[in-house]
Amino acid sequence: MKIMEIDGGKEISGTIRISGAKNATVALIPAAILTDEQATICNIPEITDTEALCDILTTLNVKIHRASESIVIDPQEMKNIEIEESYSKKLRASYYFMGALLGKYKKAIMYFPGGCSIGARPIDQHLKGFEALGAKVTVDRNKYIVEAEELKGANIYLDIASVGATINIMLAATKAKGTTIIDNAAKEPEIVNVATFLNNMGAKITGAGTSTIKIEGVEYLHQCFHEVIPDRIEAGTYIIAGSLCGKNLKIDNIIPEHIDSLLSKLEEIGVDLEVGADYVIVSKKEKYKSSTIKTAVYPGFPTDLQQPLTVLLTQSTGKSKIIETIWENRFMHIPYLRELGADISIKNQTATIVGPTKLTGTTVVATDLRAGASMVIAGLIATGKTKITNVEHILRGYEQIVEKLTSVGAKITIKEI
Ligand code: EPU
Protein backbone atom coordinates (compact mmCIF):
# COMPACT_ATOMS: atom_id res chain seq x y z
CA MET A 1 0.00 0.00 0.00
CA LYS A 2 1.17 3.50 -0.78
CA ILE A 3 0.84 6.52 1.47
CA MET A 4 1.14 10.18 0.51
CA GLU A 5 2.42 12.79 2.92
CA ILE A 6 1.90 16.51 2.46
CA ASP A 7 3.46 19.23 4.54
CA GLY A 8 0.83 21.93 4.07
CA GLY A 9 0.89 25.69 3.85
CA LYS A 10 3.47 26.09 1.07
CA GLU A 11 2.88 28.51 -1.78
CA ILE A 12 2.91 26.91 -5.25
CA SER A 13 4.27 28.83 -8.19
CA GLY A 14 5.57 27.97 -11.67
CA THR A 15 4.05 25.84 -14.43
CA ILE A 16 2.16 22.56 -14.37
CA ARG A 17 1.78 20.90 -17.76
CA ILE A 18 -1.45 18.99 -18.17
CA SER A 19 -1.31 15.41 -19.47
CA GLY A 20 -3.53 13.59 -21.94
CA ALA A 21 -7.08 13.00 -20.75
CA LYS A 22 -7.60 9.82 -18.76
CA ASN A 23 -11.22 9.42 -19.80
CA ALA A 24 -10.34 9.76 -23.48
CA THR A 25 -7.29 7.47 -23.23
CA VAL A 26 -9.22 4.68 -21.54
CA ALA A 27 -11.62 4.59 -24.50
CA LEU A 28 -9.02 5.16 -27.22
CA ILE A 29 -6.90 2.15 -26.22
CA PRO A 30 -9.77 -0.38 -26.55
CA ALA A 31 -11.00 1.50 -29.67
CA ALA A 32 -7.61 0.95 -31.31
CA ILE A 33 -8.25 -2.79 -31.71
CA LEU A 34 -10.84 -1.89 -34.35
CA THR A 35 -8.12 -1.01 -36.83
CA ASP A 36 -7.25 -3.63 -39.44
CA GLU A 37 -3.70 -2.22 -39.54
CA GLN A 38 -2.12 -0.34 -36.63
CA ALA A 39 -2.85 2.80 -34.63
CA THR A 40 -0.47 5.30 -33.07
CA ILE A 41 -1.78 7.42 -30.23
CA CYS A 42 0.30 10.16 -28.64
CA ASN A 43 -0.06 12.18 -25.44
CA ILE A 44 -1.01 9.03 -23.52
CA PRO A 45 -0.80 9.67 -19.76
CA GLU A 46 1.29 7.33 -17.62
CA ILE A 47 -1.33 6.32 -15.12
CA THR A 48 -2.22 2.92 -13.76
CA ASP A 49 -5.49 2.83 -15.77
CA THR A 50 -3.39 2.99 -18.96
CA GLU A 51 -1.24 0.10 -17.73
CA ALA A 52 -4.31 -1.99 -16.87
CA LEU A 53 -5.69 -1.56 -20.42
CA CYS A 54 -2.33 -2.40 -21.98
CA ASP A 55 -2.32 -5.60 -19.90
CA ILE A 56 -5.68 -6.51 -21.45
CA LEU A 57 -4.29 -5.83 -24.94
CA THR A 58 -1.40 -8.17 -24.18
CA THR A 59 -3.72 -10.98 -23.11
CA LEU A 60 -5.58 -10.53 -26.42
CA ASN A 61 -2.28 -10.97 -28.24
CA VAL A 62 -2.25 -7.36 -29.46
CA LYS A 63 1.24 -6.01 -30.08
CA ILE A 64 2.00 -2.78 -28.26
CA HIS A 65 4.99 -0.56 -28.43
CA ARG A 66 5.29 2.31 -25.95
CA ALA A 67 7.75 5.14 -26.36
CA SER A 68 7.57 8.06 -23.92
CA GLU A 69 4.07 9.49 -24.37
CA SER A 70 3.02 7.55 -27.43
CA ILE A 71 1.78 4.05 -28.03
CA VAL A 72 1.59 1.96 -31.19
CA ILE A 73 -1.18 -0.65 -31.07
CA ASP A 74 -1.07 -3.43 -33.65
CA PRO A 75 -4.00 -5.87 -33.45
CA GLN A 76 -3.22 -7.76 -36.67
CA GLU A 77 -2.51 -11.00 -34.79
CA MET A 78 -4.99 -10.54 -31.99
CA LYS A 79 -7.14 -13.32 -30.59
CA ASN A 80 -10.65 -12.72 -29.31
CA ILE A 81 -10.51 -14.52 -25.99
CA GLU A 82 -12.47 -14.02 -22.79
CA ILE A 83 -11.26 -11.08 -20.67
CA GLU A 84 -10.63 -12.47 -17.19
CA GLU A 85 -12.12 -10.90 -14.08
CA SER A 86 -8.69 -10.05 -12.64
CA TYR A 87 -8.24 -7.70 -15.64
CA SER A 88 -11.78 -6.35 -16.10
CA LYS A 89 -12.24 -5.39 -12.46
CA LYS A 90 -9.14 -3.23 -12.36
CA LEU A 91 -11.02 -0.33 -13.93
CA ARG A 92 -14.38 0.80 -15.19
CA ALA A 93 -13.27 1.44 -18.73
CA SER A 94 -12.48 -2.24 -19.37
CA TYR A 95 -16.09 -2.30 -20.59
CA TYR A 96 -15.05 -0.47 -23.76
CA PHE A 97 -13.60 -3.79 -24.91
CA MET A 98 -17.19 -5.03 -25.10
CA GLY A 99 -18.16 -2.54 -27.82
CA ALA A 100 -14.84 -2.82 -29.62
CA LEU A 101 -14.75 -6.65 -29.66
CA LEU A 102 -18.40 -6.81 -30.62
CA GLY A 103 -17.74 -4.41 -33.51
CA LYS A 104 -14.68 -6.32 -34.68
CA TYR A 105 -15.60 -9.98 -34.04
CA LYS A 106 -19.37 -9.81 -33.35
CA LYS A 107 -18.56 -11.43 -30.01
CA ALA A 108 -17.25 -10.29 -26.64
CA ILE A 109 -16.92 -12.20 -23.38
CA MET A 110 -15.82 -10.37 -20.29
CA TYR A 111 -16.44 -10.06 -16.58
CA PHE A 112 -18.05 -7.12 -14.80
CA PRO A 113 -15.90 -3.98 -14.90
CA GLY A 114 -14.45 -2.37 -11.75
CA GLY A 115 -13.79 1.30 -11.02
CA CYS A 116 -14.49 3.79 -8.24
CA SER A 117 -17.41 2.99 -5.90
CA ILE A 118 -19.27 6.23 -6.54
CA GLY A 119 -22.66 4.73 -7.27
CA ALA A 120 -24.42 1.62 -8.58
CA ARG A 121 -23.02 2.22 -12.09
CA PRO A 122 -25.38 0.04 -14.15
CA ILE A 123 -24.58 -0.53 -17.83
CA ASP A 124 -28.12 -1.15 -19.05
CA GLN A 125 -27.85 1.62 -21.66
CA HIS A 126 -24.71 0.03 -23.18
CA LEU A 127 -26.45 -3.35 -23.37
CA LYS A 128 -29.66 -1.83 -24.76
CA GLY A 129 -27.56 -0.29 -27.54
CA PHE A 130 -25.79 -3.57 -28.34
CA GLU A 131 -29.15 -5.35 -28.47
CA ALA A 132 -30.59 -2.71 -30.79
CA LEU A 133 -27.66 -3.42 -33.13
CA GLY A 134 -28.69 -7.10 -33.17
CA ALA A 135 -26.58 -8.60 -30.39
CA LYS A 136 -27.77 -11.11 -27.83
CA VAL A 137 -26.63 -10.31 -24.30
CA THR A 138 -26.32 -13.11 -21.76
CA VAL A 139 -25.31 -12.44 -18.18
CA ASP A 140 -23.83 -15.57 -16.63
CA ARG A 141 -23.31 -14.70 -12.93
CA ASN A 142 -20.68 -11.97 -13.19
CA LYS A 143 -19.80 -12.53 -16.83
CA TYR A 144 -21.23 -10.85 -19.91
CA ILE A 145 -21.50 -12.71 -23.21
CA VAL A 146 -22.47 -10.39 -26.05
CA GLU A 147 -22.72 -11.84 -29.54
CA ALA A 148 -24.38 -11.25 -32.87
CA GLU A 149 -24.61 -13.03 -36.19
CA GLU A 150 -24.63 -9.68 -37.83
CA LEU A 151 -24.59 -6.12 -36.48
CA LYS A 152 -27.10 -3.86 -38.20
CA GLY A 153 -27.37 -0.10 -37.82
CA ALA A 154 -30.27 1.07 -35.63
CA ASN A 155 -31.87 4.13 -34.06
CA ILE A 156 -30.97 4.16 -30.38
CA TYR A 157 -32.37 6.60 -27.85
CA LEU A 158 -30.39 6.71 -24.62
CA ASP A 159 -32.60 7.11 -21.55
CA ILE A 160 -29.62 8.76 -19.84
CA ALA A 161 -26.97 10.77 -21.70
CA SER A 162 -24.27 8.31 -20.60
CA VAL A 163 -20.64 8.88 -21.60
CA GLY A 164 -19.80 5.18 -21.46
CA ALA A 165 -22.89 4.02 -23.38
CA THR A 166 -22.39 6.65 -26.09
CA ILE A 167 -18.78 5.57 -26.67
CA ASN A 168 -19.46 1.83 -26.40
CA ILE A 169 -22.33 1.96 -28.92
CA MET A 170 -20.21 4.11 -31.24
CA LEU A 171 -17.46 1.45 -31.10
CA ALA A 172 -19.83 -1.41 -31.91
CA ALA A 173 -21.67 0.53 -34.64
CA THR A 174 -18.49 1.59 -36.47
CA LYS A 175 -18.33 -1.78 -38.24
CA ALA A 176 -22.09 -2.55 -38.29
CA LYS A 177 -23.98 -2.75 -41.58
CA GLY A 178 -25.86 0.46 -42.32
CA THR A 179 -26.49 3.59 -40.30
CA THR A 180 -26.82 3.97 -36.54
CA ILE A 181 -28.25 7.06 -34.87
CA ILE A 182 -27.61 7.64 -31.17
CA ASP A 183 -30.10 10.14 -29.77
CA ASN A 184 -29.68 11.85 -26.40
CA ALA A 185 -25.98 11.05 -26.75
CA ALA A 186 -23.55 12.47 -24.18
CA LYS A 187 -21.52 15.46 -25.46
CA GLU A 188 -18.30 15.27 -23.44
CA PRO A 189 -15.07 16.30 -25.25
CA GLU A 190 -13.71 12.78 -24.70
CA ILE A 191 -16.49 11.44 -26.95
CA VAL A 192 -15.46 13.85 -29.70
CA ASN A 193 -11.84 12.73 -29.28
CA VAL A 194 -12.81 9.06 -29.70
CA ALA A 195 -15.02 9.82 -32.74
CA THR A 196 -12.14 11.77 -34.34
CA PHE A 197 -9.83 8.80 -33.73
CA LEU A 198 -12.25 6.39 -35.38
CA ASN A 199 -12.78 8.80 -38.29
CA ASN A 200 -8.99 9.06 -38.67
CA MET A 201 -9.06 5.29 -39.26
CA GLY A 202 -11.82 5.59 -41.87
CA ALA A 203 -15.00 5.43 -39.80
CA LYS A 204 -17.91 7.65 -40.80
CA ILE A 205 -19.14 9.37 -37.66
CA THR A 206 -20.79 12.78 -37.58
CA GLY A 207 -22.41 14.78 -34.81
CA ALA A 208 -20.08 13.78 -31.93
CA GLY A 209 -20.28 16.60 -29.38
CA THR A 210 -24.00 17.08 -30.06
CA SER A 211 -26.90 15.01 -28.74
CA THR A 212 -27.36 13.18 -32.06
CA ILE A 213 -24.52 11.05 -33.39
CA LYS A 214 -24.73 9.34 -36.77
CA ILE A 215 -22.49 6.38 -37.56
CA GLU A 216 -22.40 4.87 -41.03
CA GLY A 217 -20.84 1.45 -40.72
CA VAL A 218 -17.65 0.65 -42.66
CA GLU A 219 -15.88 -2.64 -43.38
CA TYR A 220 -12.23 -1.71 -43.10
CA LEU A 221 -10.34 0.60 -40.74
CA HIS A 222 -6.83 1.61 -41.75
CA GLN A 223 -3.81 2.85 -39.83
CA CYS A 224 -3.85 6.24 -38.20
CA PHE A 225 -2.07 8.70 -35.96
CA HIS A 226 -3.99 10.41 -33.19
CA GLU A 227 -3.48 12.73 -30.22
CA VAL A 228 -5.25 12.54 -26.86
CA ILE A 229 -6.86 15.83 -25.77
CA PRO A 230 -5.61 17.47 -22.55
CA ASP A 231 -7.23 16.26 -19.33
CA ARG A 232 -9.85 18.83 -18.34
CA ILE A 233 -10.34 17.26 -14.91
CA GLU A 234 -6.61 17.23 -14.13
CA ALA A 235 -6.48 20.87 -15.29
CA GLY A 236 -9.46 21.80 -13.10
CA THR A 237 -7.93 20.06 -10.09
CA TYR A 238 -4.69 22.07 -10.32
CA ILE A 239 -6.54 25.33 -11.02
CA ILE A 240 -8.54 24.81 -7.83
CA ALA A 241 -5.30 24.04 -5.94
CA GLY A 242 -3.82 27.25 -7.38
CA SER A 243 -6.81 29.27 -6.17
CA LEU A 244 -6.02 28.14 -2.65
CA CYS A 245 -2.23 28.32 -2.46
CA GLY A 246 -0.95 29.48 -5.87
CA LYS A 247 1.05 32.51 -6.83
CA ASN A 248 0.93 33.03 -10.59
CA LEU A 249 0.56 29.28 -11.03
CA LYS A 250 0.34 28.49 -14.74
CA ILE A 251 -1.73 25.48 -15.78
CA ASP A 252 -0.47 24.86 -19.27
CA ASN A 253 -1.48 22.79 -22.31
CA ILE A 254 -5.22 22.93 -21.77
CA ILE A 255 -8.33 23.65 -23.85
CA PRO A 256 -10.02 26.36 -21.74
CA GLU A 257 -13.46 25.94 -23.34
CA HIS A 258 -13.55 22.37 -22.02
CA ILE A 259 -13.61 23.82 -18.50
CA ASP A 260 -15.89 26.82 -19.14
CA SER A 261 -18.33 25.80 -16.42
CA LEU A 262 -15.52 25.58 -13.84
CA LEU A 263 -13.93 28.88 -14.90
CA SER A 264 -17.30 30.69 -14.70
CA LYS A 265 -17.92 29.30 -11.22
CA LEU A 266 -14.43 30.24 -10.05
CA GLU A 267 -14.93 33.80 -11.33
CA GLU A 268 -18.24 33.95 -9.47
CA ILE A 269 -16.47 32.82 -6.28
CA GLY A 270 -13.89 35.58 -6.83
CA VAL A 271 -10.84 33.60 -8.00
CA ASP A 272 -8.12 35.60 -9.74
CA LEU A 273 -7.75 33.98 -13.20
CA GLU A 274 -5.96 34.87 -16.41
CA VAL A 275 -7.29 32.71 -19.23
CA GLY A 276 -5.07 32.37 -22.31
CA ALA A 277 -5.44 30.38 -25.53
CA ASP A 278 -4.09 27.17 -23.97
CA TYR A 279 -3.38 28.05 -20.35
CA VAL A 280 -4.78 29.54 -17.16
CA ILE A 281 -2.78 31.51 -14.59
CA VAL A 282 -4.20 31.47 -11.10
CA SER A 283 -3.28 33.08 -7.78
CA LYS A 284 -4.67 32.78 -4.29
CA LYS A 285 -6.88 35.57 -2.99
CA GLU A 286 -7.54 36.25 0.68
CA LYS A 287 -11.32 36.16 0.50
CA TYR A 288 -13.78 34.12 -1.55
CA LYS A 289 -17.57 34.18 -1.90
CA SER A 290 -19.80 31.19 -1.23
CA SER A 291 -21.62 29.53 -4.12
CA THR A 292 -24.10 26.84 -5.17
CA ILE A 293 -22.95 24.18 -7.61
CA LYS A 294 -25.10 21.55 -9.27
CA THR A 295 -23.30 18.83 -11.22
CA ALA A 296 -24.61 18.08 -14.70
CA VAL A 297 -23.68 16.37 -17.95
CA TYR A 298 -21.32 18.33 -20.23
CA PRO A 299 -21.28 21.29 -20.75
CA GLY A 300 -22.65 21.56 -17.19
CA PHE A 301 -20.46 21.49 -14.11
CA PRO A 302 -18.53 18.16 -14.13
CA THR A 303 -19.20 15.75 -11.28
CA ASP A 304 -15.49 14.85 -11.42
CA LEU A 305 -14.57 18.36 -10.20
CA GLN A 306 -17.20 18.54 -7.50
CA GLN A 307 -14.98 16.84 -4.92
CA PRO A 308 -11.89 19.03 -5.56
CA LEU A 309 -14.09 22.15 -5.55
CA THR A 310 -15.53 21.30 -2.11
CA VAL A 311 -12.13 22.22 -0.63
CA LEU A 312 -12.30 25.73 -2.12
CA LEU A 313 -15.79 26.16 -0.69
CA THR A 314 -14.47 25.34 2.82
CA GLN A 315 -12.41 28.54 2.44
CA SER A 316 -15.25 30.68 1.04
CA THR A 317 -17.20 33.00 3.33
CA GLY A 318 -20.74 31.91 4.11
CA LYS A 319 -22.89 28.94 3.19
CA SER A 320 -22.21 27.05 -0.06
CA LYS A 321 -24.09 24.12 -1.51
CA ILE A 322 -23.09 21.27 -3.80
CA ILE A 323 -25.87 19.28 -5.40
CA GLU A 324 -24.61 16.02 -6.92
CA THR A 325 -26.94 14.77 -9.64
CA ILE A 326 -24.82 12.17 -11.48
CA TRP A 327 -23.49 9.75 -8.86
CA GLU A 328 -25.42 8.78 -5.74
CA ASN A 329 -22.31 8.03 -3.68
CA ARG A 330 -19.93 10.88 -4.42
CA PHE A 331 -19.67 12.53 -1.02
CA MET A 332 -17.18 10.10 0.48
CA HIS A 333 -14.60 12.87 0.73
CA ILE A 334 -16.84 14.84 3.11
CA PRO A 335 -16.20 12.86 6.35
CA TYR A 336 -12.45 13.27 5.77
CA LEU A 337 -12.72 16.99 5.04
CA ARG A 338 -14.60 17.24 8.34
CA GLU A 339 -11.74 15.45 10.11
CA LEU A 340 -9.43 18.09 8.70
CA GLY A 341 -11.67 20.78 10.22
CA ALA A 342 -14.31 21.59 7.57
CA ASP A 343 -17.90 22.38 8.54
CA ILE A 344 -19.99 20.32 6.11
CA SER A 345 -23.32 18.55 6.43
CA ILE A 346 -24.99 16.25 3.90
CA LYS A 347 -28.69 15.80 3.28
CA ASN A 348 -29.75 13.53 0.45
CA GLN A 349 -27.66 14.57 -2.55
CA THR A 350 -26.75 18.03 -1.23
CA ALA A 351 -23.69 19.01 0.78
CA THR A 352 -23.82 22.28 2.71
CA ILE A 353 -20.46 23.85 3.43
CA VAL A 354 -19.97 26.70 5.88
CA GLY A 355 -16.73 28.62 5.62
CA PRO A 356 -14.12 29.71 6.02
CA THR A 357 -12.68 27.06 8.32
CA LYS A 358 -9.08 26.37 9.23
CA LEU A 359 -7.88 22.94 8.08
CA THR A 360 -5.37 21.00 10.18
CA GLY A 361 -3.43 18.00 8.87
CA THR A 362 -4.35 14.48 9.98
CA THR A 363 -4.60 11.02 8.39
CA VAL A 364 -7.30 10.73 5.73
CA VAL A 365 -8.33 8.22 3.07
CA ALA A 366 -8.53 8.57 -0.73
CA THR A 367 -11.81 6.65 -1.01
CA ASP A 368 -11.94 7.14 -4.79
CA LEU A 369 -9.99 8.99 -7.48
CA ARG A 370 -11.48 12.48 -7.19
CA ALA A 371 -12.04 12.19 -3.43
CA GLY A 372 -8.30 11.55 -3.36
CA ALA A 373 -7.67 14.69 -5.40
CA SER A 374 -9.69 16.69 -2.90
CA MET A 375 -7.60 15.25 -0.06
CA VAL A 376 -4.43 16.36 -1.86
CA ILE A 377 -5.76 19.93 -2.26
CA ALA A 378 -6.88 19.99 1.38
CA GLY A 379 -3.45 18.71 2.43
CA LEU A 380 -1.75 21.51 0.49
CA ILE A 381 -3.53 24.18 2.56
CA ALA A 382 -3.84 22.40 5.91
CA THR A 383 -1.47 23.32 8.70
CA GLY A 384 0.99 20.55 9.52
CA LYS A 385 1.16 17.11 7.95
CA THR A 386 -1.62 15.34 6.09
CA LYS A 387 -1.24 11.65 5.41
CA ILE A 388 -3.37 10.12 2.68
CA THR A 389 -3.90 6.37 2.48
CA ASN A 390 -5.32 4.35 -0.47
CA VAL A 391 -3.28 6.55 -2.80
CA GLU A 392 -3.60 3.88 -5.52
CA HIS A 393 -6.94 5.49 -6.40
CA ILE A 394 -5.21 8.82 -7.12
CA LEU A 395 -2.50 7.20 -9.25
CA ARG A 396 -5.18 5.69 -11.50
CA GLY A 397 -5.92 9.13 -12.90
CA TYR A 398 -3.24 11.74 -12.14
CA GLU A 399 0.04 11.37 -14.00
CA GLN A 400 3.09 12.17 -11.87
CA ILE A 401 1.06 14.11 -9.33
CA VAL A 402 3.86 14.13 -6.77
CA GLU A 403 6.48 15.28 -9.31
CA LYS A 404 4.19 17.96 -10.76
CA LEU A 405 3.31 19.44 -7.37
CA THR A 406 6.90 19.19 -6.10
CA SER A 407 8.12 21.09 -9.16
CA VAL A 408 5.96 24.09 -8.20
CA GLY A 409 7.01 24.14 -4.56
CA ALA A 410 4.69 21.77 -2.70
CA LYS A 411 6.12 19.50 -0.02
CA ILE A 412 4.67 16.14 -0.97
CA THR A 413 6.03 12.61 -0.96
CA ILE A 414 4.75 9.15 -1.61
CA LYS A 415 6.05 5.94 -0.13
CA GLU A 416 5.26 2.27 0.02
CA ILE A 417 4.27 1.00 3.49
N1 EPU B 1 -26.02 5.13 -16.11
C1 EPU B 1 -27.07 4.24 -16.15
N2 EPU B 1 -27.03 3.25 -17.08
C2 EPU B 1 -26.01 3.12 -17.97
C3 EPU B 1 -24.95 4.02 -17.92
C4 EPU B 1 -24.97 5.03 -16.99
O1 EPU B 1 -28.00 4.33 -15.34
O2 EPU B 1 -26.06 2.18 -18.77
C5 EPU B 1 -26.03 6.23 -15.12
C6 EPU B 1 -24.87 6.13 -14.13
O3 EPU B 1 -25.20 5.27 -13.05
C7 EPU B 1 -24.71 7.58 -13.72
C8 EPU B 1 -25.03 8.34 -15.01
O4 EPU B 1 -25.79 7.46 -15.80
O5 EPU B 1 -25.63 7.91 -12.73
C9 EPU B 1 -23.83 8.82 -15.81
O6 EPU B 1 -23.00 7.73 -16.13
P1 EPU B 1 -22.01 7.70 -17.39
O7 EPU B 1 -22.26 6.44 -18.12
O8 EPU B 1 -22.09 8.99 -18.11
O9 EPU B 1 -20.61 7.61 -16.68
P2 EPU B 1 -19.39 6.65 -17.03
O10 EPU B 1 -19.25 6.56 -18.49
O11 EPU B 1 -19.47 5.40 -16.23
C10 EPU B 1 -17.66 8.58 -17.19
C11 EPU B 1 -16.33 8.88 -16.55
C12 EPU B 1 -16.56 9.30 -15.09
C13 EPU B 1 -17.49 10.50 -15.05
C14 EPU B 1 -18.79 10.20 -15.79
C15 EPU B 1 -19.72 11.39 -15.89
C16 EPU B 1 -14.90 7.34 -17.69
C17 EPU B 1 -14.07 6.11 -17.64
N3 EPU B 1 -15.52 7.67 -16.58
O12 EPU B 1 -18.20 7.51 -16.45
O13 EPU B 1 -15.29 9.66 -14.61
O14 EPU B 1 -17.78 10.84 -13.72
O15 EPU B 1 -18.50 9.75 -17.13
O16 EPU B 1 -19.09 12.45 -16.51
O17 EPU B 1 -14.95 8.02 -18.71
C18 EPU B 1 -13.62 9.98 -13.00
O18 EPU B 1 -12.85 10.28 -13.92
O19 EPU B 1 -13.33 10.13 -11.79
C19 EPU B 1 -14.92 9.39 -13.33
C20 EPU B 1 -15.64 8.71 -12.45
Side-chain angles (χ1 to χ4, degrees), residues 22-23 26 92-93 95-96 116 118 120-126 160-165 188 232 303-304 326-328 330 369-370:
K22 161 189 164 283
N23 288 345
V26 297
R92 192 74 196 159
Y95 61 28
Y96 288 130
C116 292
I118 50 180
R121 309 193 83 170
I123 61 163
D124 55 301
Q125 298 301 305
H126 306 229
I160 295 173
S162 150
V163 175
E188 272 67 2
R232 62 193 167 99
T303 168
D304 300 340
I326 310 289
W327 301 113
E328 60 276 23
R330 224 176 192 182
L369 170 58
R370 309 301 172 188

Side-chain angles (χ1 to χ4, degrees), residues 155-309:
N155 287 355
I156 300 161
Y157 175 83
L158 295 181
D159 301 313
I160 295 173
S162 150
V163 175
T166 303
I167 294 180
N168 234 341
I169 296 168
M170 215 161 67
L171 297 178
T174 291
K175 281 191 148 186
K177 282 215 169 86
T179 303
T180 298
I181 308 274
I182 310 175
D183 263 322
N184 195 30
K187 302 180 208 157
E188 272 67 2
E190 292 74 21
I191 295 168
V192 181
N193 201 220
V194 175
T196 309
F197 175 55
L198 295 169
N199 283 343
N200 286 346
M201 290 197 243
K204 290 188 176 160
I205 303 173
T206 51
T210 75
S211 55
T212 304
I213 302 180
K214 184 175 165 190
I215 306 132
E216 281 179 61
V218 295
E219 276 184 13
Y220 190 85
L221 292 170
H222 51 72
Q223 66 168 19
C224 82
F225 180 84
H226 184 73
E227 188 171 348
V228 184
I229 51 169
D231 196 313
R232 62 193 167 99
I233 308 301
E234 188 199 13
T237 303
Y238 289 126
I239 293 171
I240 294 167
S243 73
L244 287 165
C245 55
K247 185 166 184 209
N248 293 326
L249 180 73
K250 185 175 186 184
I251 312 301
D252 205 9
N253 185 41
I254 66 168
I255 300 177
E257 56 260 45
H258 288 174
I259 46 168
D260 265 349
S261 58
L262 171 72
L263 297 178
S264 304
K265 267 294 160 195
L266 293 180
E267 270 165 16
E268 204 180 291
I269 292 169
V271 177
D272 178 9
L273 294 170
E274 180 192 324
V275 183
D278 62 354
Y279 66 86
V280 164
I281 296 174
V282 57
S283 294
K284 175 191 167 167
K285 269 184 38 186
E286 283 315 310
K287 210 165 174 207
Y288 288 127
K289 290 183 222 144
S290 57
S291 185
T292 294
I293 281 116
K294 191 172 181 178
T295 62
V297 293
Y298 189 84
F301 191 90
T303 168
D304 300 340
L305 285 174
Q306 171 265 105
Q307 292 158 300
L309 191 82

Side-chain angles (χ1 to χ4, degrees), residues 265-413:
K265 267 294 160 195
L266 293 180
E267 270 165 16
E268 204 180 291
I269 292 169
V271 177
D272 178 9
L273 294 170
E274 180 192 324
V275 183
D278 62 354
Y279 66 86
V280 164
I281 296 174
V282 57
S283 294
K284 175 191 167 167
K285 269 184 38 186
E286 283 315 310
K287 210 165 174 207
Y288 288 127
K289 290 183 222 144
S290 57
S291 185
T292 294
I293 281 116
K294 191 172 181 178
T295 62
V297 293
Y298 189 84
F301 191 90
T303 168
D304 300 340
L305 285 174
Q306 171 265 105
Q307 292 158 300
L309 191 82
T310 315
V311 187
L312 173 58
L313 297 178
T314 69
Q315 303 308 305
S316 302
T317 306
K319 196 189 271 184
S320 295
K321 280 190 191 298
I322 292 185
I323 305 149
E324 170 60 54
T325 72
I326 310 289
W327 301 113
E328 60 276 23
N329 194 19
R330 224 176 192 182
F331 282 145
M332 286 191 295
H333 58 309
I334 304 286
Y336 294 105
L337 287 179
R338 274 200 212 120
E339 292 205 2
L340 288 161
D343 176 353
I344 311 179
S345 55
I346 308 171
K347 198 169 175 202
N348 302 323
Q349 285 304 101
T350 302
T352 305
I353 305 123
V354 182
T357 46
K358 186 171 154 24
L359 302 184
T360 310
T362 183
T363 300
V364 291
V365 182
T367 52
D368 58 77
L369 170 58
R370 309 301 172 188
S374 77
M375 292 303 122
V376 173
I377 299 173
L380 290 174
I381 59 164
T383 348
K385 272 200 170 61
T386 299
K387 289 185 182 178
I388 308 174
T389 64
N390 286 24
V391 177
E392 281 76 8
H393 282 299
I394 303 175
L395 303 180
R396 285 192 28 230
Y398 288 89
E399 182 179 50
Q400 297 197 316
I401 184 165
V402 169
E403 293 80 354
K404 286 186 184 187
L405 284 170
T406 303
S407 75
V408 291
K411 289 275 168 280
I412 175 170
T413 55

Side-chain angles (χ1 to χ4, degrees), residues 78-114:
M78 84 175 275
K79 294 191 182 92
N80 184 17
I81 54 164
E82 178 176 306
I83 298 174
E84 288 298 331
E85 190 172 17
S86 56
Y87 290 105
S88 67
K89 74 173 184 206
K90 277 200 182 149
L91 76 170
R92 192 74 196 159
S94 56
Y95 61 28
Y96 288 130
F97 278 103
M98 254 193 239
L101 290 170
L102 183 65
K104 193 175 177 99
Y105 295 105
K106 316 289 170 266
K107 184 169 181 176
I109 308 179
M110 68 169 281
Y111 284 81
F112 286 1

